[in-house]
């Protein structure tokens, strides 16, 4: 079953507000003019994407830590484009309530070269002791040949409604934090 509309936990996953809410560092460049993500515009028709150009291994960006509910399935997805990329990765860490990493999962790993827009997605179950997820995008390159990774439409959302009511699920999430 598809998730309900507007269940994305990622703030500003379409970059409609620039890089607001994202840990970008000096490598992230918001590209709003040339590179458009096909067929994934949001309801406002926004087509911004985040461009990460890296002249070394690794430049990383990511949204803030996102709260999750243990043992719930999550649909995790993003659109990507590569230009001379070296070892581009999308990975996430399941974190426990103390902020300790309990598992690392790759949505994609070790992507090199130049590839037009494509989607990577999967369904992942939060571990029994998970309280949050950290999502990280990595781009690599060399000083003489920087690599570029574009990302857009970043989604982390419950895949199927929990066995309890939405009100109970929201309360459980609230109680964890």
């Amino acid at each position: 079953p598809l998730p309900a509309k507007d269940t994305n936990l990622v703030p500003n996953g379409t970059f409609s507000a620039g890089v607001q809410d994202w840990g970008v560092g000096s490598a992230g460049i918001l590209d709003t003019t040339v590179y458009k993500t096909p067929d994934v515009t949001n309801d406002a028709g926004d087509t911004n994407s985040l461009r990460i150009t890296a002249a070394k291994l690794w430049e990383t960006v990511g949204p803030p830590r996102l709260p999750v509910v243990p043992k719930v399935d999550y649909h995790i997805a993003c659109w990507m484009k590569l230009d001379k990329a070296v070892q581009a990765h999308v990975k996430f860490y399941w974190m426990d309530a103390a902020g300790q990493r309990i598992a690392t999962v790759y949505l994609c790993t070790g992507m090199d070269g130049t590839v037009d827009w494509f989607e990577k997605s999967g369904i992942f179950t939060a571990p029994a002791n998970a309280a949050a997820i950290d999502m990280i995008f990595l781009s690599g390159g060399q000083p003489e040949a920087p690599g570029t990774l574009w990302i857009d439409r970043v989604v982390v959302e419950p895949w199927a409604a929990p066995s309890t009511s939405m009100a109970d699920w929201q309360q459980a999430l609230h109680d964890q934090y």
Side-chain angles (χ1 to χ4, degrees):
L2 291 174
K5 184 175 174 59
D6 299 325
T7 59
N8 190 4
L9 302 175
V10 179
N12 192 29
T14 61
F15 304 100
S16 60
V19 292
Q20 179 180 325
D21 300 317
W22 281 69
V24 174
S26 62
I29 301 166
L30 182 67
D31 187 331
T32 61
T33 57
V34 177
Y35 300 96
K36 306 298 184 184
T37 307
D39 303 323
V40 292
T41 56
N42 64 20
D43 291 339
D46 178 64
T47 55
N48 291 358
S49 59
L50 181 69
R51 181 181 75 202
I52 310 156
T53 300
K56 63 180 179 110
L57 292 176
W58 304 101
E59 294 290 0
T60 65
V61 302
R65 182 167 287 171
L66 307 170
V68 297
V69 177
K71 299 182 181 179
V72 168
D73 291 336
Y74 288 88
H75 171 235
I76 299 175
C78 67
W79 280 79
M80 302 169 59
K81 177 178 176 152
L82 308 172
D83 183 24
K84 297 182 227 147
V86 177
Q87 294 293 300
H89 290 56
V90 179
K91 66 180 176 178
F92 55 93
Y93 304 124
W94 294 111
M95 310 297 284
D96 67 15
Q100 298 297 308
R101 187 181 309 168
I102 54 176
T104 301
V105 179
Y106 287 87
L107 188 59
C108 68
T109 184
M111 298 195 64
D112 295 327
T114 300
V115 182
D116 203 0
W117 286 107
F118 61 97
E119 182 181 23
K120 289 301 246 183
S121 67
I123 307 299
F124 303 91
T125 303
N129 57 340
I133 186 172
D134 282 346
M135 192 170 195
I136 300 171
F137 297 84
L138 300 97
S139 182
Q142 304 300 323
E144 65 281 358
T148 303
L149 165 66
W150 287 265
I151 55 175
D152 196 6
R153 188 64 176 98
V154 180
V155 174
V156 175
E157 59 193 350
W159 180 244
S163 59
T164 60
S165 71
M166 182 55 79
D168 290 344
W169 184 84
Q170 289 172 334
Q171 186 62 48
L173 188 60
H174 179 269
D175 290 347
Q176 284 187 347
Y177 295 92

